[in-house]
Amino acid sequence: MLHQDASIPLLVPPAEQHPATAQQQARMAAAVAEIAASADLYPGVIIIANLLVDRVEYMSRRGLLELRTTLPELQALGPRYWETYFNPDDSADLLPKVYAMIQNPDPWAVVSIFQQVRIAEDLSFVWHLSTTRVLLRDEDTGQPLLLVTSSVPIDPLHHVTHKVSRLLEENNFLRLNAPRFATLTGREREVLRLLVLGHSAPEIAAALFISPQTAETHRRNIRQKLGAESVFELSQYARAFDLI
């Protein structure tokens, strides 16, 4: 069901998109109406995605105001909704998780993520905590028809925001630099851990039972492989990849 294009993240590839049957349309309209009746009473934004044609089927008023758009405009975007309002790196992580959740037979299965939302073209991304689950499936085939998401902006004045931001930045660093880190040998990772803890080459040599010359060679190779010049840059790797 889920698919990801090289440029535009898709929930449904074009070959599998099709209009709803009359029965499906009636059930989908009823489900959307039930959610819409109280959606504006809840904190955050409620979004319903149509999995038959890969588009936003409904968004609560707060979301439309934040995005400075209308529901018809969102629906006209189709799958371009993803690239218009979301960080593509987040979408690349999100869609496989959504796929796994959809395959879960548990009707209460959910997927929760932090994602960056661009609330206007001239503004930077704003972090949101979003939780998604299947809202409606076809009665006969079990095919998912609608997804419902609750998305809440992370209050920038809240003390938790700084901790969350650090975790998110670390996660982004890990994702972007995993190929570089993978080039390190097991011994080089041991040396990296001791290096960022402040140990000198002789101290590293003594701890690992190697010569100081070998320890210095490892330090030089680590910096070259990671493209890191400072201890701070090296410590970013150590923290992100759980060496310290």
Side-chain angles (χ1 to χ4, degrees):
M1 170 63 66
L2 298 190
H3 169 77
Q4 186 176 336
D5 182 81
S7 57
I8 303 178
L10 300 176
L11 285 175
V12 187
E16 296 182 17
Q17 295 181 19
H18 60 84
T21 65
Q23 181 181 11
Q24 288 174 333
Q25 185 59 51
R27 295 186 64 230
M28 293 166 68
V32 170
E34 184 175 2
I35 295 293
S38 59
D40 291 329
L41 300 178
Y42 298 100
V45 178
I46 305 299
I47 308 104
I48 299 177
N50 183 330
L51 293 180
L52 294 181
V53 292
D54 198 359
R55 74 174 189 185
V56 173
E57 193 68 21
Y58 169 82
M59 180 177 288
S60 57
R61 184 168 178 269
R62 174 173 176 170
L64 296 175
L65 291 175
E66 288 185 351
L67 298 183
R68 303 179 188 180
T69 189
T70 65
L71 183 58
E73 289 173 335
L74 284 183
Q75 292 177 335
L77 282 175
R80 296 198 310 278
Y81 164 76
W82 294 95
E83 66 173 5
T84 301
Y85 294 110
F86 300 95
N87 186 317
D89 290 335
D90 295 338
S91 297
D93 277 350
L94 167 64
L95 297 186
K97 294 177 181 178
V98 173
Y99 177 78
M101 180 268 295
I102 287 177
Q103 305 309 308
N104 191 331
D106 180 0
W108 299 106
V110 302
V111 59
S112 297
I113 66 160
F114 289 105
Q115 61 183 161
Q116 300 172 79
V117 182
R118 183 187 290 113
I119 62 175
E121 290 185 2
D122 57 337
L123 297 178
S124 59
F125 288 112
V126 175
W127 283 107
H128 284 62
L129 172 60
S130 300
T131 301
T132 300
R133 68 177 291 260
V134 175
L135 175 64
L136 186 69
R137 293 182 183 270
D138 183 89
E139 289 182 310
D140 297 324
T141 66
Q143 177 188 13
L145 303 176
L146 297 174
L147 290 181
V148 61
T149 297
S150 174
S151 184
V152 181
I154 300 174
D155 184 352
L157 299 180
H158 199 285
H159 73 280
V160 173
T161 300
H162 301 294
K163 297 180 181 179
V164 169
S165 294
R166 286 199 298 270
L167 290 173
L168 294 171
E169 289 171 3
E170 187 174 289
N171 181 67
N172 287 337
F173 182 89
L174 185 151
R175 182 169 54 201
L176 293 173
N177 293 283
R180 282 187 173 184
F181 184 78
T183 65
L184 298 183
T185 65
R187 175 64 81 185
E188 287 171 342
R189 297 181 189 189
E190 292 177 319
V191 172
L192 174 59
R193 184 181 70 84
L194 294 173
L195 181 60
V196 300
L197 290 176
H199 295 282
S200 65
E203 291 172 335
I204 293 174
L208 299 180
F209 303 102
I210 57 178
S211 70
Q213 293 80 7
T214 299
E216 186 59 46
T217 298
H218 283 315
R219 290 206 310 177
R220 185 171 57 253
N221 290 341
I222 290 168
R223 291 177 183 272
Q224 183 178 10
K225 288 182 177 181
L226 300 183
E229 297 297 331
S230 66
V231 174
F232 172 76
E233 291 175 294
L234 292 173
S235 67
Q236 284 184 292
Y237 280 93
R239 286 195 301 270
F241 292 94
D242 298 324
L243 296 183
I244 57 175

